[in-house]
Amino acid sequence: MDETTEVGRLGAEHRELLGQVLDKWSLEVLDRLCERPRRFNELRRAIPEVTQKSLTATLRRLERNGMVERDIVSTRPVGVEYRIAPLGKTLQDLIDALLQWSAARLPEVQRARDRFDAAEG
Amino acid sequence: MDETTEVGRLGAEHRELLGQVLDKWSLEVLDRLCERPRRFNELRRAIPEVTQKSLTATLRRLERNGMVERDIVSTRPVGVEYRIAPLGKTLQDLIDALLQWSAARLPEVQRARDRFDAAEG
DNA sequence: CTGTATCCAGTTAGATACTG
DNA sequence: CAGTATCTAACTGGATACAG
């Protein structure tokens, strides 16, 4: 296999999976559910910027991928509890590491952005 | 601080940063550049599904965030070499871990998807 | 070789209103 | 409480043509 035809080790399926699990809201939802199970509106309050529609879509996608489980509480009115699934639990350390990386490096990134924006003007 | 007002530990700035660094093509581009510097078309060949437009946009974004550096080679016609920046290097272990997680867990995820899709029909 | 520019179809996200 | 439905504005991505 020569260099000119060398292809990535990441197939489309892996890109799709990581895209569904690392997207805008999923990281934060999973992080929250790793702490403890949460109700729908509890998650909304914990992530104030997410809309109901986007949170619903995020939770469905995570459920479909086996990352979270959904528990219907038969009260009136009904409640729904979301909790981390075993498969989602395998992501916990990775998510923690990503959030810590972001917190640690954001200042450096900001300086890089300022340099870039100043140079291209 | 009571539970009803508790908010996430991830602010909008962190979500934006992770979004720019973990997006569809960035992971694979960074992974490739961690191995060694690459030319533009070399990256295109390594990631056959990416269009020129998207690869350009991805590289600009990564450059702006201090993740990659851009080196213009004054030949005719000109060449451009991209290489990982020190800040991008701090992501390498995380990226490796994500790719490995994806490779290890994809089969389980597929089974979860099949179950979900069968149940909701 | 490494881009930029343009057009355009398809997806996505917010706002709002409504339901079991 | 936990959604679904609808409309619409904004963004995204592919195709194509062209340029330094």
Side-chain angles (χ1 to χ4, degrees):
Chain A
M1 166 165 12
D2 73 340
E3 173 197 313
T4 58
T5 55
E6 172 193 16
V7 292
R9 57 169 157 142
L10 197 60
E13 289 174 310
H14 293 283
R15 231 170 359 245
E16 194 215 3
L17 170 55
L18 290 172
Q20 301 209 359
V21 156
L22 302 178
D23 83 295
K24 191 174 182 187
W25 303 112
S26 294
L27 270 188
E28 194 155 0
V29 167
L30 289 171
D31 183 46
R32 280 343 192 96
L33 294 181
C34 279
E35 293 171 5
R36 57 180 165 79
R38 309 255 182 178
R39 301 281 290 264
F40 185 84
N41 279 344
E42 197 184 343
L43 282 170
R44 278 194 82 180
R45 282 189 299 271
I47 314 174
E49 304 95 328
V50 74
T51 63
Q52 185 177 51
K53 184 181 175 182
S54 296
L55 182 55
T56 301
T58 299
L59 287 166
R60 284 287 174 287
R61 187 168 45 239
L62 291 176
E63 189 193 356
R64 177 168 185 267
N65 285 276
M67 300 292 138
V68 310
E69 286 161 2
R70 195 161 167 274
D71 230 350
I72 297 175
V73 185
S74 298
T75 50
R76 284 210 65 105
V78 297
V80 178
E81 192 177 79
Y82 292 93
R83 56 181 195 284
I84 196 80
L87 197 46
K89 200 81 175 159
T90 67
L91 259 178
Q92 183 168 13
D93 289 350
L94 244 27
I95 289 172
D96 280 349
L98 285 170
L99 301 188
Q100 279 168 32
W101 179 88
S102 175
R105 302 298 180 170
L106 183 57
E108 276 175 84
V109 172
Q110 266 304 347
R111 283 194 293 277
R113 287 176 180 171
D114 292 344
R115 272 196 305 277
F116 185 91
D117 295 345
E120 49 115 44
Chain B
M1 164 166 17
D2 73 339
E3 174 197 311
T4 60
T5 56
E6 173 194 16
V7 294
R9 58 169 159 141
L10 196 61
E13 288 173 312
H14 293 284
R15 232 170 0 246
E16 193 215 4
L17 170 55
L18 290 172
Q20 301 210 357
V21 157
L22 302 179
D23 83 295
K24 190 173 182 187
W25 303 113
S26 294
L27 270 188
E28 194 155 356
V29 167
L30 288 172
D31 184 46
R32 282 340 192 98
L33 294 181
C34 278
E35 295 171 4
R36 58 179 164 78
R38 309 253 182 180
R39 299 281 289 262
F40 185 84
N41 279 345
E42 197 183 343
L43 282 170
R44 277 194 82 180
R45 282 188 300 270
I47 314 173
E49 305 95 327
V50 74
T51 63
Q52 185 176 53
K53 184 182 175 180
S54 297
L55 182 56
T56 301
T58 299
L59 287 166
R60 282 290 173 285
R61 188 169 44 242
L62 291 176
E63 188 194 357
R64 177 167 185 270
N65 285 277
M67 299 293 140
V68 310
E69 285 161 2
R70 195 162 168 273
D71 230 349
I72 297 175
V73 186
S74 299
T75 50
R76 283 209 66 106
V78 296
V80 178
E81 193 177 77
Y82 291 93
R83 56 182 194 284
I84 195 80
L87 197 46
K89 201 79 175 162
T90 66
L91 260 178
Q92 184 168 14
D93 290 348
L94 244 27
I95 290 171
D96 281 350
L98 285 170
L99 300 187
Q100 279 167 32
W101 179 89
S102 174
R105 302 298 178 169
L106 184 57
E108 276 175 83
V109 172
Q110 265 306 345
R111 282 194 295 277
R113 286 176 182 171
D114 292 343
R115 271 194 308 276
F116 185 92
D117 295 345
E120 50 114 45

